[in-house]
Amino acid sequence: MIHPQADGQAGGWSGGTLIATSEGFYVLDEGGLSPSPLTEALLDMRPETLMAVDRFGTRELWIAGPSDLAVWSGGALLRLQPGDLPVGNCRMAFGAPLGGAPAVWVACPGSLYAVIGAGSTFQAHLQPEISDGRSLAVDQTGTLWIVDGEGSVWSRTPDGNFRTHDFTSSARRVASSLWSNDVWFETEEALWRYDQVSFSPVETSGSVLAVGETGQVVLSTSAGLVRGHTNRIVRLAGLSDRALLDSASTVTIHPVEPDSVASVDRKSTRLNSSHANIS
């Protein structure tokens, strides 16, 4: 059982986008950019990781710092201390279920645990299968993905089963979202993508920054920021419906928005009737 300690009122944050800067927090909404009262409330925490979630009809902000774990909910800042479990230098992800309820997953040096409940009834559940977590993500299926301290990749399915996945090199980061079936892995050698069927390397190199609601991935590359889309439907010329590919064929790909396409990963192009899914 976690007994939250109320740490004052953090003020309102009912909408807009919360932006963290070196000078404090700001809220960007229809009225423009304005300072957030969270700056004063979190002054001594030095937040390293922020995660906004909607649970039980309430918007919450989970905050992890060098030595603290806290949640802002209902205008109050609550600091959490889950028994003897660590709370410093943690990574967080939300959505993978535990006991039928979506949980907040916390990976700290030496442990991985899930937090469920709300208000004054938070509970932490240690996951002994993983002793260290470097990066966490949850995909649309409710599967939790973990990169551990040694660079190994794990997954936990909604029924609670853990398994490992082998890559050709150590993984650094995993990224996905609750709205996407795509899971992206940044390894020492390459980027990889899992589409719920298979793992495949991606020709573009770079670091995964985020995965959006529609599955688009944002990468930091040597050429700057790149946004990639998966499963985008395009038209094919030279292949009729239900045609059998029993010999070499020439097919022309016509993107619906050609000006927005910088490149096509041909290795990940899949034919589906007279359309193709571009990865």
Side-chain angles (χ1 to χ4, degrees), residues 78-265:
L78 306 174
R79 296 179 187 257
L80 307 180
Q81 181 54 59
D84 296 330
L85 296 176
V87 293
N89 298 312
C90 302
R91 301 291 179 264
M92 300 178 292
F94 171 73
L98 182 73
V104 173
W105 294 83
V106 183
C108 306
S111 68
L112 170 71
Y113 56 91
V115 178
I116 59 175
S120 60
T121 59
F122 287 106
Q123 295 180 344
H125 298 263
L126 181 65
Q127 307 294 304
E129 292 84 356
I130 308 292
S131 60
D132 196 6
R134 178 189 301 176
S135 180
L136 299 177
V138 178
D139 66 23
Q140 192 175 42
T141 70
T143 297
L144 174 70
W145 295 88
I146 310 111
V147 175
D148 67 17
E150 297 181 353
S152 299
V153 174
W154 295 72
S155 65
R156 177 194 179 275
T157 52
D159 57 7
N161 291 322
F162 283 85
R163 61 168 296 188
T164 58
H165 304 271
D166 294 328
F167 284 78
T168 56
S169 62
S170 296
R172 296 172 178 167
R173 186 167 186 262
V174 58
S176 187
S177 81
L178 290 173
W179 303 275
S180 175
N181 280 323
D182 290 328
V183 187
W184 297 82
F185 303 90
E186 180 183 333
T187 73
E188 293 180 353
E189 295 180 350
L191 287 176
W192 289 73
R193 172 184 166 232
Y194 175 63
D195 61 359
Q196 304 298 325
V197 177
S198 61
F199 294 83
S200 58
V202 179
E203 292 182 353
T204 302
S205 61
S207 300
V208 179
L209 298 181
V211 178
E213 294 185 4
T214 59
Q216 71 269 28
V217 61
V218 180
L219 305 174
S220 175
T221 71
S222 58
L225 293 180
V226 174
R227 184 178 63 181
H229 289 265
T230 63
N231 298 324
R232 172 173 284 184
I233 301 299
V234 297
R235 300 184 181 92
L236 299 180
L239 183 66
S240 59
D241 286 349
R242 304 184 184 280
L244 296 178
L245 294 178
D246 55 359
S247 61
S249 300
T250 298
V251 176
T252 303
I253 298 175
H254 295 287
V256 177
E257 300 175 9
D259 292 339
S260 65
V261 178
S263 63
V264 175
D265 186 351

